[in-house]
Amino acid sequence: MFFPVIPVTYRLTDVFLLMATATFLHEDFMLRSESARVLYHQYARDLPILDYHCHLPPDEIARNHYFDNLTQIWLKGDHYKWRAMRTVGIPETYITGAADDRTKFQKWAETVPFTLRNPLYHWTHLELLDPFGVRELLGSHNADRIYDHCGELLRSTFSTRYLLQHYGVQVVCTTDDPCDTLEHHASIRQMPFGVQILPTFRPDRALEIGAGAGFRAYVSRLESLENHTIRTFDDYLSVLKRRHDFFGAMGCRLSDHGLEHLYAEPYTEEEVRAIFLQALDQQPVSLSALHKVKSALLYHFAVWDYEKGWTQQFHLGALRNTNTRMLTRMGRDTGHDSIGDFPQAVNMYRFFDRLDREEKLAKTILYNLNPADNEVFATMIGNYQDGQVRGKIQWGAAWWFLDQQDGMARQLDTLSRMGLLACFVGMLTDSRSFLSFPRHEYFRRLLCQMLGQDIQNGELPNDLPWIGRMVQDICYYNAQRFFGFDKTA
C-alpha cells in the first residue's frame, strides 16, 4: 500500500518515538509465531474487504467528498474517542462543542498516550500509518505537524472514493431508515466507481410506537413518502412493505435491527390493531402492549426478508442514552451508552422457532453486546441450521464494546468450541469513519495469530494450505457467498 513520507526535520525526541513505533507497528504486529506470519502474509493480508455492516454516510460517497482535516474525518461522530476524551477531563467544548477543528485534534492528541491498552491506541496508529504513512506515536508534541500533513492529503487526494479503493473495499452496506429516499444510493448507481454501495433496511424507528408525538411525526413522513394515509395497523404494514420493496429494488440484501432484546410476545391481530390505534392517537400504552406490537412488526419484517432472500441482522443488548442530563443537552447517540444485561435466550428461541416452524426463517446474523451472553448466542445459532445454507444462522463479529482484542478473541474462541469457525462470515467495521478499514487488518492478524499459536502448540495440524484456505474463507469468501456478492448485483 502507498505510504507517503512526512517531509519534515525531526527533533531528537521524535527520533526516539519513531524508533519506538518501529518496534510496535511493524509488519508482523500481533503475529508471534512463524505459522501466524505465514497465514497472515500469504493468505489473509491482500484479500479484498466486504464491509457488510457500517454507518458510512452515502451522501459523502455520492459526491466523492474531500475532508478538510483529521477532525472532520476522524473525530466527528466518533463516540469511542469522545468517551476517552471525557474520561481524561477534556471539557465538552473541545469534543462536540464550539472549539475549532485544530484545537479539537490537539485535545485528542493529548488524550492518545492515556489510551494504552484501549483499542483506540492501536486503531489510532494503524489509521495514521495507513493511509497517511505516519509512523510516529501521536501526542501533543507532534499534533500540529501530523494535523497539517494529513490535512493536506485529505484536501488534495484522499477523497471518500479514493479511500474505499485504497483499502481494497469491494462492497459497503450502509445503514438506512425506511424513510430514507436513497437518493444518494441512486446517484452512486449512476456513477459507479468499482465499489458496490448497497443500502440496509434498518426500521428501528418504525418500532418506536410509544414515542407519542415523535411516532406521529414518523408516520407522517411515511405517509408523505408513499402518498398513502395511515389510519390502521394494516395501513402501517402496507406502507412499510412498500418501503421494504423499494429498498429491494435499490439493491438491498440485508436488514438490521438495534434492539435491547428480541420481541416475541404472544399476540392476536385484534390486540395489535387496537394497541396501534392508541399509539397513533398518542394515548398512553403499557409496556406489555408495546411489546406485542413490536413482536408483530418484527415477525412481518422477518417474513419479508425471507421472501426476498435477504439476511436479517440483530444487534442485541445495548443500554442506550443513559445520561439524562446529556441526552437533554445533546440529543441521542452521543456516547452515553453501555452494555445492558437483558435476558436474551427465551425470546430468541420463541422468535426463531416460530419462523422455523413456518419455514420462513431467513439467513440471520446475531450480535451480542454483553460478553456474558457469548455461550448463549454461540449455542442458539446451532438450533436453526437447516443443512441447506452453509452457516445459515451466524453469530456475528464482536460488536461495539467487544470490538477489541480480547472481545474478538473470546468470540472467535467460543465460536470455535461451540460452533464451526470455518463457516464464520468474518469482520465488519460498524463505523462512521472512512478511516476504519484497518479494523479488518486487525481482525485478520488476530485470527491468524490464534490459529498459528494452535499450530505451534500442536493443537492443530501443521497443514498451512488447508488452514490458510479456512482463513481466506473467514476473511472474505464466506461472506461473498453468504450475501451473494459473488453474483452480479
Side-chain angles (χ1 to χ4, degrees), residues 240-258:
L240 286 170
K241 180 62 163 60
R242 292 188 192 186
R243 301 309 298 165
H244 196 274
D245 292 342
F246 170 65
F247 271 60
M250 293 296 292
C252 181
R253 303 184 188 190
L254 298 96
S255 69
D256 184 42
H257 306 268

PDB file of all heavy atoms in Angstrom, residues 240-258:
ATOM      1  N   LEU A 240     -44.925   0.211   5.134  1.00  0.00           N
ATOM      2  CA  LEU A 240     -43.580  -0.292   5.420  1.00  0.00           C
ATOM      3  C   LEU A 240     -43.165  -1.362   4.411  1.00  0.00           C
ATOM      4  O   LEU A 240     -41.987  -1.441   4.030  1.00  0.00           O
ATOM      5  CB  LEU A 240     -43.525  -0.852   6.841  1.00  0.00           C
ATOM      6  CG  LEU A 240     -43.528   0.196   7.953  1.00  0.00           C
ATOM      7  CD1 LEU A 240     -43.722  -0.464   9.314  1.00  0.00           C
ATOM      8  CD2 LEU A 240     -42.226   1.006   7.949  1.00  0.00           C
ATOM      9  N   LYS A 241     -44.116  -2.187   3.979  1.00  0.00           N
ATOM     10  CA  LYS A 241     -43.802  -3.195   2.956  1.00  0.00           C
ATOM     11  C   LYS A 241     -43.411  -2.522   1.644  1.00  0.00           C
ATOM     12  O   LYS A 241     -42.497  -2.984   0.940  1.00  0.00           O
ATOM     13  CB  LYS A 241     -45.024  -4.094   2.730  1.00  0.00           C
ATOM     14  CG  LYS A 241     -44.818  -5.183   1.669  1.00  0.00           C
ATOM     15  CD  LYS A 241     -43.716  -6.149   2.051  1.00  0.00           C
ATOM     16  CE  LYS A 241     -43.781  -7.444   1.241  1.00  0.00           C
ATOM     17  NZ  LYS A 241     -43.653  -7.237  -0.202  1.00  0.00           N
ATOM     18  N   ARG A 242     -44.049  -1.418   1.306  1.00  0.00           N
ATOM     19  CA  ARG A 242     -43.662  -0.682   0.102  1.00  0.00           C
ATOM     20  C   ARG A 242     -42.230  -0.170   0.218  1.00  0.00           C
ATOM     21  O   ARG A 242     -41.479  -0.209  -0.763  1.00  0.00           O
ATOM     22  CB  ARG A 242     -44.614   0.498  -0.125  1.00  0.00           C
ATOM     23  CG  ARG A 242     -46.035   0.117  -0.494  1.00  0.00           C
ATOM     24  CD  ARG A 242     -46.810   1.365  -0.883  1.00  0.00           C
ATOM     25  NE  ARG A 242     -48.238   1.132  -0.990  1.00  0.00           N
ATOM     26  CZ  ARG A 242     -49.112   2.018  -1.431  1.00  0.00           C
ATOM     27  NH1 ARG A 242     -48.689   3.225  -1.799  1.00  0.00           N
ATOM     28  NH2 ARG A 242     -50.399   1.735  -1.483  1.00  0.00           N
ATOM     29  N   ARG A 243     -41.882   0.310   1.412  1.00  0.00           N
ATOM     30  CA  ARG A 243     -40.513   0.783   1.605  1.00  0.00           C
ATOM     31  C   ARG A 243     -39.515  -0.381   1.508  1.00  0.00           C
ATOM     32  O   ARG A 243     -38.438  -0.242   0.927  1.00  0.00           O
ATOM     33  CB  ARG A 243     -40.367   1.478   2.969  1.00  0.00           C
ATOM     34  CG  ARG A 243     -41.258   2.666   3.194  1.00  0.00           C
ATOM     35  CD  ARG A 243     -41.178   3.671   2.063  1.00  0.00           C
ATOM     36  NE  ARG A 243     -39.838   4.234   1.914  1.00  0.00           N
ATOM     37  CZ  ARG A 243     -39.431   4.912   0.846  1.00  0.00           C
ATOM     38  NH1 ARG A 243     -40.242   5.078  -0.190  1.00  0.00           N
ATOM     39  NH2 ARG A 243     -38.208   5.404   0.794  1.00  0.00           N
ATOM     40  N   HIS A 244     -39.879  -1.516   2.077  1.00  0.00           N
ATOM     41  CA  HIS A 244     -39.052  -2.718   2.001  1.00  0.00           C
ATOM     42  C   HIS A 244     -38.847  -3.117   0.535  1.00  0.00           C
ATOM     43  O   HIS A 244     -37.714  -3.436   0.109  1.00  0.00           O
ATOM     44  CB  HIS A 244     -39.751  -3.841   2.780  1.00  0.00           C
ATOM     45  CG  HIS A 244     -38.887  -5.009   3.122  1.00  0.00           C
ATOM     46  ND1 HIS A 244     -38.695  -6.067   2.265  1.00  0.00           N
ATOM     47  CD2 HIS A 244     -38.181  -5.309   4.249  1.00  0.00           C
ATOM     48  CE1 HIS A 244     -37.913  -6.966   2.839  1.00  0.00           C
ATOM     49  NE2 HIS A 244     -37.582  -6.537   4.040  1.00  0.00           N
ATOM     50  N   ASP A 245     -39.912  -3.069  -0.256  1.00  0.00           N
ATOM     51  CA  ASP A 245     -39.823  -3.393  -1.679  1.00  0.00           C
ATOM     52  C   ASP A 245     -38.932  -2.390  -2.407  1.00  0.00           C
ATOM     53  O   ASP A 245     -38.143  -2.765  -3.297  1.00  0.00           O
ATOM     54  CB  ASP A 245     -41.215  -3.397  -2.320  1.00  0.00           C
ATOM     55  CG  ASP A 245     -42.088  -4.537  -1.825  1.00  0.00           C
ATOM     56  OD1 ASP A 245     -41.548  -5.516  -1.255  1.00  0.00           O
ATOM     57  OD2 ASP A 245     -43.332  -4.449  -1.991  1.00  0.00           O
ATOM     58  N   PHE A 246     -39.074  -1.117  -2.046  1.00  0.00           N
ATOM     59  CA  PHE A 246     -38.247  -0.080  -2.659  1.00  0.00           C
ATOM     60  C   PHE A 246     -36.770  -0.326  -2.368  1.00  0.00           C
ATOM     61  O   PHE A 246     -35.915  -0.224  -3.268  1.00  0.00           O
ATOM     62  CB  PHE A 246     -38.682   1.293  -2.143  1.00  0.00           C
ATOM     63  CG  PHE A 246     -37.756   2.416  -2.515  1.00  0.00           C
ATOM     64  CD1 PHE A 246     -37.580   2.783  -3.842  1.00  0.00           C
ATOM     65  CD2 PHE A 246     -37.050   3.107  -1.536  1.00  0.00           C
ATOM     66  CE1 PHE A 246     -36.721   3.832  -4.183  1.00  0.00           C
ATOM     67  CE2 PHE A 246     -36.194   4.143  -1.862  1.00  0.00           C
ATOM     68  CZ  PHE A 246     -36.028   4.503  -3.189  1.00  0.00           C
ATOM     69  N   PHE A 247     -36.447  -0.668  -1.123  1.00  0.00           N
ATOM     70  CA  PHE A 247     -35.058  -0.963  -0.778  1.00  0.00           C
ATOM     71  C   PHE A 247     -34.555  -2.144  -1.604  1.00  0.00           C
ATOM     72  O   PHE A 247     -33.412  -2.146  -2.073  1.00  0.00           O
ATOM     73  CB  PHE A 247     -34.943  -1.265   0.718  1.00  0.00           C
ATOM     74  CG  PHE A 247     -34.689  -0.060   1.578  1.00  0.00           C
ATOM     75  CD1 PHE A 247     -35.596   0.994   1.614  1.00  0.00           C
ATOM     76  CD2 PHE A 247     -33.558   0.031   2.368  1.00  0.00           C
ATOM     77  CE1 PHE A 247     -35.377   2.100   2.415  1.00  0.00           C
ATOM     78  CE2 PHE A 247     -33.323   1.138   3.173  1.00  0.00           C
ATOM     79  CZ  PHE A 247     -34.229   2.173   3.199  1.00  0.00           C
ATOM     80  N   GLY A 248     -35.415  -3.160  -1.777  1.00  0.00           N
ATOM     81  CA  GLY A 248     -35.018  -4.305  -2.581  1.00  0.00           C
ATOM     82  C   GLY A 248     -34.694  -3.910  -4.015  1.00  0.00           C
ATOM     83  O   GLY A 248     -33.721  -4.390  -4.602  1.00  0.00           O
ATOM     84  N   ALA A 249     -35.493  -3.015  -4.575  1.00  0.00           N
ATOM     85  CA  ALA A 249     -35.254  -2.546  -5.943  1.00  0.00           C
ATOM     86  C   ALA A 249     -33.958  -1.752  -6.047  1.00  0.00           C
ATOM     87  O   ALA A 249     -33.369  -1.660  -7.136  1.00  0.00           O
ATOM     88  CB  ALA A 249     -36.430  -1.692  -6.408  1.00  0.00           C
ATOM     89  N   MET A 250     -33.500  -1.202  -4.924  1.00  0.00           N
ATOM     90  CA  MET A 250     -32.261  -0.426  -4.901  1.00  0.00           C
ATOM     91  C   MET A 250     -31.042  -1.281  -4.544  1.00  0.00           C
ATOM     92  O   MET A 250     -29.972  -0.752  -4.266  1.00  0.00           O
ATOM     93  CB  MET A 250     -32.394   0.736  -3.915  1.00  0.00           C
ATOM     94  CG  MET A 250     -33.397   1.793  -4.341  1.00  0.00           C
ATOM     95  SD  MET A 250     -32.910   2.642  -5.872  1.00  0.00           S
ATOM     96  CE  MET A 250     -31.469   3.540  -5.308  1.00  0.00           C
ATOM     97  N   GLY A 251     -31.202  -2.605  -4.549  1.00  0.00           N
ATOM     98  CA  GLY A 251     -30.056  -3.484  -4.344  1.00  0.00           C
ATOM     99  C   GLY A 251     -29.861  -3.967  -2.932  1.00  0.00           C
ATOM    100  O   GLY A 251     -28.872  -4.654  -2.647  1.00  0.00           O
ATOM    101  N   CYS A 252     -30.768  -3.623  -2.019  1.00  0.00           N
ATOM    102  CA  CYS A 252     -30.626  -4.028  -0.617  1.00  0.00           C
ATOM    103  C   CYS A 252     -30.649  -5.547  -0.498  1.00  0.00           C
ATOM    104  O   CYS A 252     -31.455  -6.226  -1.145  1.00  0.00           O
ATOM    105  CB  CYS A 252     -31.758  -3.411   0.202  1.00  0.00           C
ATOM    106  SG  CYS A 252     -31.701  -3.813   1.953  1.00  0.00           S
ATOM    107  N   ARG A 253     -29.769  -6.069   0.374  1.00  0.00           N
ATOM    108  CA  ARG A 253     -29.715  -7.510   0.612  1.00  0.00           C
ATOM    109  C   ARG A 253     -29.754  -7.865   2.095  1.00  0.00           C
ATOM    110  O   ARG A 253     -29.738  -9.044   2.441  1.00  0.00           O
ATOM    111  CB  ARG A 253     -28.441  -8.095   0.004  1.00  0.00           C
ATOM    112  CG  ARG A 253     -28.307  -7.834  -1.476  1.00  0.00           C
ATOM    113  CD  ARG A 253     -27.109  -8.505  -2.062  1.00  0.00           C
ATOM    114  NE  ARG A 253     -26.917  -8.084  -3.450  1.00  0.00           N
ATOM    115  CZ  ARG A 253     -26.051  -8.649  -4.282  1.00  0.00           C
ATOM    116  NH1 ARG A 253     -25.315  -9.665  -3.865  1.00  0.00           N
ATOM    117  NH2 ARG A 253     -25.918  -8.209  -5.516  1.00  0.00           N
ATOM    118  N   LEU A 254     -29.769  -6.854   2.932  1.00  0.00           N
ATOM    119  CA  LEU A 254     -29.753  -7.092   4.365  1.00  0.00           C
ATOM    120  C   LEU A 254     -30.718  -6.151   5.070  1.00  0.00           C
ATOM    121  O   LEU A 254     -30.921  -5.009   4.633  1.00  0.00           O
ATOM    122  CB  LEU A 254     -28.357  -6.872   4.964  1.00  0.00           C
ATOM    123  CG  LEU A 254     -27.212  -7.738   4.492  1.00  0.00           C
ATOM    124  CD1 LEU A 254     -26.434  -7.027   3.396  1.00  0.00           C
ATOM    125  CD2 LEU A 254     -26.262  -8.048   5.657  1.00  0.00           C
ATOM    126  N   SER A 255     -31.267  -6.624   6.175  1.00  0.00           N
ATOM    127  CA  SER A 255     -31.937  -5.752   7.134  1.00  0.00           C
ATOM    128  C   SER A 255     -31.098  -5.733   8.398  1.00  0.00           C
ATOM    129  O   SER A 255     -30.189  -6.551   8.579  1.00  0.00           O
ATOM    130  CB  SER A 255     -33.349  -6.254   7.444  1.00  0.00           C
ATOM    131  OG  SER A 255     -33.295  -7.469   8.177  1.00  0.00           O
ATOM    132  N   ASP A 256     -31.415  -4.805   9.294  1.00  0.00           N
ATOM    133  CA  ASP A 256     -30.684  -4.728  10.560  1.00  0.00           C
ATOM    134  C   ASP A 256     -31.605  -4.143  11.615  1.00  0.00           C
ATOM    135  O   ASP A 256     -32.459  -3.300  11.309  1.00  0.00           O
ATOM    136  CB  ASP A 256     -29.438  -3.857  10.406  1.00  0.00           C
ATOM    137  CG  ASP A 256     -28.597  -3.839  11.668  1.00  0.00           C
ATOM    138  OD1 ASP A 256     -28.424  -4.911  12.275  1.00  0.00           O
ATOM    139  OD2 ASP A 256     -28.130  -2.754  12.065  1.00  0.00           O
ATOM    140  N   HIS A 257     -31.433  -4.610  12.840  1.00  0.00           N
ATOM    141  CA  HIS A 257     -32.251  -4.144  13.951  1.00  0.00           C
ATOM    142  C   HIS A 257     -31.354  -3.947  15.172  1.00  0.00           C
ATOM    143  O   HIS A 257     -30.625  -4.859  15.564  1.00  0.00           O
ATOM    144  CB  HIS A 257     -33.345  -5.170  14.297  1.00  0.00           C
ATOM    145  CG  HIS A 257     -34.197  -5.551  13.127  1.00  0.00           C
ATOM    146  ND1 HIS A 257     -35.371  -4.902  12.815  1.00  0.00           N
ATOM    147  CD2 HIS A 257     -34.041  -6.512  12.180  1.00  0.00           C
ATOM    148  CE1 HIS A 257     -35.900  -5.445  11.739  1.00  0.00           C
ATOM    149  NE2 HIS A 257     -35.114  -6.424  11.336  1.00  0.00           N
ATOM    150  N   GLY A 258     -31.402  -2.763  15.766  1.00  0.00           N
ATOM    151  CA  GLY A 258     -30.686  -2.485  17.002  1.00  0.00           C
ATOM    152  C   GLY A 258     -31.674  -2.492  18.156  1.00  0.00           C
ATOM    153  O   GLY A 258     -32.438  -1.542  18.328  1.00  0.00           O
TER     154      GLY A 258
END
